Amino acid sequence: VKRASPGAVYVAPEGEATKPGESLPLPGDAAKVKEYYGRLKQLKQDVDALQEYLKKDEPTPGDMAANKERLKELARINGYLSLSANEVLSRHPLWLIKELEFRDFKLHEALPTVIVNGKNISSRPSLVEEPMSITALPDKEALKEIGGGGIIDKAKESVGGTIKGLFSK
């Protein structure tokens, strides 16, 4: 690509002679580039030193085998090797939700929003001491907005058995 303007060649001022191997002073940005590469060189040296340090303390295969045997012995002494997943899992549910609440839950567009409360919901309800319960009660604020408690009776009539018990305590 043809240049828009001719370039300039850097010429050292008269009287400044350079010796072989000595670099010329660098103008502006070139000095920053030299500093940048100097920092990169130092960073590489630091990384190399860190790698050497880490290699020095790396365990040998013999050390790893001895450590594995030591851990097996500790597990045997503490009784961990006699445990089975069946013993641990059979005494506890896989998951347990102690308390749960959903607000502004929409069952149907014609119905007011409800608040759903759940307690002690578990993967194994028979293993939880407290009984599991899930209730859905109308949101009192939503009822006020749509005209009071008469909507509950209309909703029960129109939807029928699908919401039976949702609006009772």
Side-chain angles (χ1 to χ4, degrees):
V1 176
K2 187 175 180 180
R3 293 179 60 152
S5 63
V9 176
Y10 176 78
V11 179
E14 287 187 31
E16 285 187 24
T18 59
K19 298 176 186 170
E22 182 183 345
S23 63
L24 295 172
L26 299 172
D29 291 337
K32 290 179 184 176
V33 170
K34 184 176 181 180
E35 179 185 348
Y36 171 77
Y37 281 108
R39 287 182 182 176
L40 282 179
K41 185 177 178 182
Q42 182 60 45
L43 178 63
K44 183 180 179 338
Q45 290 172 350
D46 292 345
V47 168
D48 290 344
L50 177 63
Q51 286 178 341
E52 280 300 314
Y53 174 77
L54 292 174
K55 284 180 184 176
K56 180 177 71 174
D57 291 337
E58 191 173 314
T60 64
D63 293 341
M64 292 187 327
N67 192 30
K68 185 176 178 181
E69 290 303 318
R70 188 179 63 78
L71 288 175
K72 275 185 188 178
E73 182 61 21
L74 281 173
R76 186 190 63 72
I77 290 169
N78 291 320
Y80 297 145
L81 298 180
S82 63
L83 288 177
S84 71
N86 192 24
E87 289 175 340
V88 175
L89 295 177
S90 65
R91 295 182 188 156
H92 304 286
L94 186 60
W95 52 266
L96 171 65
I97 300 172
K98 293 295 278 180
E99 191 166 348
L100 172 72
E101 181 175 275
F102 293 112
R103 293 191 166 275
D104 299 326
F105 191 76
K106 194 84 167 157
L107 291 172
H108 188 272
E109 60 206 35
L111 298 175
T113 58
V114 296
I115 299 172
V116 178
N117 288 308
K119 291 188 178 184
N120 302 311
I121 302 168
S122 160
S123 62
R124 302 276 307 270
S126 61
L127 297 176
V128 180
E129 292 179 21
E130 299 85 13
M132 179 176 70
S133 69
I134 300 175
T135 59
L137 300 172
D139 186 355
K140 305 249 188 269
E141 295 302 316
L143 286 176
K144 286 179 189 175
E145 289 177 18
I146 58 174
I151 189 73
I152 295 173
D153 297 328
K154 288 182 182 178
K156 282 184 179 179
E157 289 172 15
S158 64
V159 181
T162 58
I163 60 166
K164 184 177 181 183
L166 285 176
F167 297 110
S168 61
K169 290 188 177 183

